[in-house]
Amino acid sequence: MARLTLAFVFVIGLFFQALFFQAMAQETGNGESADRSSTGGAQTLEDILKRQRGEMIDDSFRRSATGDPDTAAGIASQLGTLGGASDPELWRALRYGSADITVSSGGEVATVLMQDGGMRWLNWRQGPLAKWGGYLLLATLALLILFYLIRGRIRIDGKKTGRTITRFETVERFGHWLLAGSFILLGITGLITLFGRSALIPLIGKDAFATLAIGSKWIHNNVSWAFMLALIMVFVMWIVHNLPDRTDLNWLAKGGGLFKKGVHPPAKKFNAGQKLIFWSVILLGVSVSASGLSLLFPFELPMFAATFDTLNATGVPQLIGLGELRSELAPHEEMQYAQLWHAIIAFLMMAIVIAHIYIGSVGMEGAFDAMGSGEVEEQWAREHHSLWVDEVKSAKGRKAAAGKPAPAE
């Protein structure tokens, strides 16, 4: 059931990513056809002004105007053209990817001489992506600081027993720290790649940044394998403990006791908040890994063309007014869409992980011990995971009883 749920949510994620990028890529304006009778069908002054203002225009009148060899004048005509397509029409066909190009080497990528979406991708990457992604991280930090100032550190309310209980085994802690360490490296190197030109070059200069950028790229590409391995490890080890149950509703209703001192809703090994983090990391981690693999192997593992084609077959894009999603994408476009999606998901994960780090360190007394030594104070465990403590105690009791010799008859 959990795997079916995971697959369902992942497909939903692909659906929304398809709609997001297709809507971003469409240049349909407000859907109204402009009157170009005065220009003989060519672009108008309003088209030029809209493009200068960065507004979308309907460029179908240019996209299809790539000439027709069958309309060429006869070879004996003194004023006839040499063919049915002029130089501007040829360049237009190259721009929109409709020119018939043959190359002797380089494969499919070499046939793309002009890629029209490159500037749109660059502007979106340097503008909304960097802007709102940065705001998200800053807002997350600000909210956590505000929460700390208001609530303070969540202390152990009861009297400490001096006894400990094993919270996580060595292999569990290894999987966690492998995931955490690799993600932190990936996050830092990804931010260097995105913000380096605007934030670091003015501080350290171009030469130093060039060395840093090359190193960051190498680290990012290679550490990604450790991240994916750790993602599989924690999924296999902890999925059985992260399935939803009725205790989660009570935990959520009481805010997990995070907002009020002395409130400790019962929970199993993982409470509802930890389950939400677990599934967020798993689902977003799968998505960011898929887009990362697509970036590493753009010609072998394209994501978006197949996704758009599948969505077209469902009829959903047409139903909501997007029309047929374009399913023929150049490798360059695949990489651009994959990079944007990769960064968006990474920003969401970083915000979630920052909150997780806060709770697991300065935000809650005794929480770090769970992943530090693996042993936690028994009173802490009873306050935050009472049902799990009962299970552990019961299991130890049964094991001890089974090990005792049978009474003499």
Side-chain angles (χ1 to χ4, degrees), residues 1-255:
M1 182 65 183
R3 294 187 178 183
L4 289 176
T5 303
L6 174 65
F8 174 76
V9 176
F10 181 62
V11 170
I12 293 297
L14 288 179
F15 170 72
F16 281 109
Q17 80 178 31
L19 298 186
F20 174 79
F21 286 114
Q22 186 67 18
M24 185 190 73
Q26 285 180 332
E27 296 183 356
T28 56
N30 56 13
E32 299 179 358
S33 298
D35 181 12
R36 299 189 176 89
S37 57
S38 61
T39 60
Q43 66 177 336
T44 64
L45 176 61
E46 183 59 26
D47 292 330
I48 298 173
L49 294 176
K50 280 186 176 181
R51 193 158 49 248
Q52 290 176 346
R53 293 193 298 264
E55 299 176 6
M56 296 297 184
I57 64 168
D58 180 5
D59 66 349
S60 58
F61 71 98
R62 305 175 67 196
R63 185 182 295 272
S64 57
T66 56
D68 181 8
D70 295 333
T71 63
I75 193 171
S77 302
Q78 294 183 4
L79 299 180
T81 61
L82 295 178
S86 63
D87 286 347
E89 290 168 332
L90 173 61
W91 285 110
R92 198 173 296 124
L94 292 172
R95 172 185 175 182
Y96 292 111
S98 59
D100 184 14
I101 299 174
T102 302
V103 295
S104 58
S105 62
E108 181 182 4
V109 64
T111 65
V112 182
L113 303 184
M114 297 176 66
Q115 206 272 301
D116 187 51
M119 287 306 300
R120 181 172 58 245
W121 163 80
L122 180 62
N123 291 334
W124 208 89
R125 180 178 183 271
Q126 293 179 340
L129 177 63
K131 175 183 177 181
W132 293 108
Y135 283 166
L136 174 63
L137 299 186
L138 292 175
T140 302
L141 291 172
L143 288 174
L144 291 175
I145 293 173
L146 180 62
F147 179 78
Y148 181 81
L149 293 175
I150 296 174
R151 177 67 170 87
R153 194 178 196 197
I154 301 173
R155 301 286 182 178
I156 298 175
D157 288 332
K159 184 178 180 180
K160 295 181 181 179
T161 65
R163 298 186 299 271
T164 61
I165 184 171
T166 302
R167 177 86 172 126
F168 293 111
E169 300 293 345
T170 302
V171 66
E172 293 179 289
R173 301 200 307 276
F174 172 79
H176 171 272
W177 288 116
L178 182 62
L179 185 67
S182 59
F183 182 77
I184 290 173
L185 283 175
L186 292 171
I188 293 174
T189 53
L191 291 174
I192 289 174
T193 301
L194 181 61
F195 293 104
R197 288 182 177 273
S198 58
L200 295 181
I201 287 180
L203 294 177
I204 63 177
K206 294 182 178 179
D207 292 340
F209 175 72
T211 303
L212 179 62
I214 292 172
S216 296
K217 180 179 181 296
W218 187 90
I219 292 172
H220 200 90
N221 290 348
N222 289 280
V223 171
S224 62
W225 302 107
F227 173 80
M228 287 184 278
L229 172 62
L231 196 67
I232 296 172
M233 288 182 64
V234 299
F235 177 77
V236 172
M237 291 188 297
W238 292 338
I239 181 176
V240 68
H241 300 293
N242 281 279
L243 300 178
D245 58 62
R246 286 179 294 181
T247 61
D248 298 331
L249 297 177
N250 178 52
W251 192 94
L252 291 172
K254 295 182 178 180

Side-chain angles (χ1 to χ4, degrees), residues 264-287:
H264 303 292
K268 295 185 178 181
K269 184 166 186 175
F270 292 101
N271 58 45
Q274 292 169 323
K275 290 178 181 180
L276 289 173
I277 291 176
F278 173 83
W279 285 111
S280 297
V281 169
I282 293 297
L283 296 176
L284 296 178
V286 168
S287 185

